[in-house]
Amino acid sequence: MQTQVLKADSKENIRLAADLIRRGETVAFPTETVYGLGADATDKAAVAKIFTAKGRPTFDPIIVHVASIAMLPTVVNGIPEVAWQLIDTFWPGPLTLVLAKAGKIPDIVTAGLPTVAVRMPQNEIALALIEEAGIPIGAPSANSFGRPSPTCADHVIEDLDGKIALILDGGTTQIGVESTVLDLTCSPPAILRPGGVSRECLEGILGKVSVFSGTGDEVFKSPGQMKQHYAPRAKVLLFGGKCRERVIAAMRERIKELKPGSEIGVMVPEEELSHFTDEDVVAIGLGSFTTMEAVASKLFEAMRALDKRGVDYILTLALSREGIGLAVFDRLFKASGSQLIEVD
Ligand code: AMP
Ligand code: MG
């Protein structure tokens, strides 16, 4: 299949993309989090194409995207009061709600679950596309399964060229990590995946929420929660510990052990880059660790850049787990195959 790439800067191109969606094809498009690979969420044959293109296992359910509240009855069966509060506060935005599924959503979308994940993205291109298509769009991240999520059109081309109908190029995504997935069908509500809306913000409205991912605990609740995910080809070694100097020293020690015969990449906040300049490594700065938003927006791009340099290992550092920091930790932890190297 020939994959078309179109700039998302004209109504005409949005219309073309919406037509493809309505005809049961797959289209990659930008959201405020990462690029999504979309198809008509009410058409099981169209959704099946997403799974094939990504090589995604069918037990991993996908998120349905809406452009308006009016589209919700097609997706969910009833909206509890607490969901309305969250919708009022965080939509459009990077918060996905897991609710009871409506009959129009085929089982392939939810991996057979009676629940469905739904969100309204905060991105004009995404909203215009869904609105123009006139149907909810099912869209996981537009990467090959297990790989780092795409934050620009080039990343989508890297993974899916020849496998999907169209890529709408809307530049680089703003947040850089995926949405927070919040299950409202249990009590207390549970974060199944930390993301763009922080745990602290949710607790401001909901009181206590439980977290089933990104904590370092081996507890999984959602079928899509894999121990290894969001991973570059290189082996990721994630270092953590209370004393930053000792963690850096342990990383440098490991580089010396691995160096003979391997190419090493390092991915750390700008402030720590100087500790690695005397080593023969490819070091990439993630932005300042004083703004975890900056780290989040660079994370997947840095993983892909290091893969392109052909490194065998990527050494990286666990940072603050507050705010969007929890999502950053979650992605690094999964990229490492859920192995945190704790330095005393
Ligand atoms: P992706 O869109 O590829 O970034 O991943 C979607 C995430 O949403 C996965 O981690 C899924 O496990 C989760 N998800 C989607 N639908 C459901 C659902 N019905 N129940 C629980 N988790 C879900
Ligand atoms: Mg994904």
Side-chain angles (χ1 to χ4, degrees):
M1 178 191 293
Q2 177 91 19
T3 301
Q4 230 187 323
V5 183
L6 289 178
K7 287 257 179 267
D9 56 3
S10 72
K11 276 205 173 125
E12 193 192 329
N13 287 351
I14 301 280
R15 217 172 291 137
L16 221 139
D19 279 346
L20 282 168
I21 295 272
R22 271 198 302 268
R23 281 193 266 128
E25 291 302 330
T26 50
V27 172
F29 62 97
T31 77
E32 79 280 33
T33 58
V34 301
Y35 272 70
L37 178 59
D40 178 352
T42 63
D43 175 350
K44 74 176 183 213
V47 173
K49 291 181 184 173
I50 295 178
F51 283 88
T52 306
K54 284 185 55 108
R56 185 178 176 107
T58 48
F59 61 76
D60 193 2
I62 66 180
I63 296 171
V64 178
H65 295 70
V66 295
S68 63
I69 299 297
M71 276 186 183
L72 277 179
T74 314
V75 184
V76 302
N77 183 11
I79 300 165
E81 183 49 39
V82 62
W84 280 123
Q85 264 179 292
L86 296 167
I87 287 168
D88 283 346
T89 314
F90 298 109
W91 281 13
L95 177 65
T96 296
L97 302 176
V98 174
L99 294 164
K101 176 178 98 76
K104 281 198 178 141
I105 298 298
D107 281 344
I108 186 170
V109 170
T110 65
L113 293 170
T115 56
V116 64
V118 63
R119 86 173 186 106
M120 188 189 291
Q122 188 175 35
N123 175 289
E124 279 179 26
I125 298 160
L127 290 172
L129 174 67
I130 304 163
E131 190 66 47
E132 183 70 31
I135 30 178
I137 294 184
S141 49
N143 50 288
S144 296
F145 179 71
R147 295 261 301 142
S149 295
T151 55
C152 64
D154 279 349
H155 296 167
V156 183
I157 295 170
E158 264 170 39
D159 282 16
L160 300 179
D161 191 24
K163 298 179 174 175
I164 62 178
L166 173 70
I167 300 170
L168 268 184
D169 182 352
T172 302
T173 62
Q174 188 195 332
I175 297 177
V177 292
E178 301 85 344
S179 61
T180 302
V181 179
L182 180 73
D183 189 350
L184 289 178
T185 66
C186 55
S187 182
I191 293 176
L192 303 180
R193 174 178 75 185
V197 170
S198 71
R199 171 191 194 157
E200 294 84 345
C201 283
L202 292 174
E203 286 185 334
I205 290 182
L206 299 170
K208 185 90 194 115
V209 301
S210 39
V211 183
F212 280 90
S213 184
T215 55
D217 302 332
E218 306 281 303
V219 188
F220 299 95
K221 191 167 183 284
S222 160
Q225 290 172 318
M226 256 68 55
K227 276 178 113 175
Q228 168 101 32
H229 208 66
Y230 312 112
R233 292 187 191 90
K235 180 162 178 51
V236 174
L237 302 177
L238 173 62
F239 289 77
K242 286 202 179 70
C243 172
R244 182 60 60 87
E245 284 75 33
R246 282 210 288 278
V247 174
I248 299 284
M251 290 172 77
R252 287 173 55 98
E253 192 58 34
R254 185 63 69 93
I255 289 169
K256 291 208 169 56
E257 287 165 23
L258 293 170
K259 192 64 213 163
S262 332
E263 289 301 319
I264 314 276
V266 169
M267 203 169 70
V268 289
E270 310 285 352
E271 292 90 340
E272 308 293 359
L273 271 180
S274 62
H275 298 293
F276 299 96
T277 44
D278 61 325
E279 308 282 353
D280 180 18
V281 299
V282 186
I284 292 196
L286 282 177
S288 169
F289 62 60
T290 55
T291 25
M292 288 305 290
E293 281 76 13
V295 176
S297 72
K298 289 265 164 54
L299 189 65
F300 288 134
E301 188 195 338
M303 287 186 195
R304 282 178 182 264
L306 286 170
D307 262 350
K308 275 203 176 144
R309 296 289 294 268
V311 302
D312 303 298
Y313 293 91
I314 298 175
L315 277 69
T316 188
L317 191 57
L319 303 163
S320 160
R321 295 185 209 178
E322 281 168 25
I324 201 166
L326 186 64
V328 171
F329 178 79
D330 173 77
R331 305 310 184 266
L332 288 173
F333 188 61
K334 300 264 172 64
S336 74
S338 299
Q339 283 180 317
L340 177 63
I341 302 166
E342 293 262 22
V343 181
D344 298 329

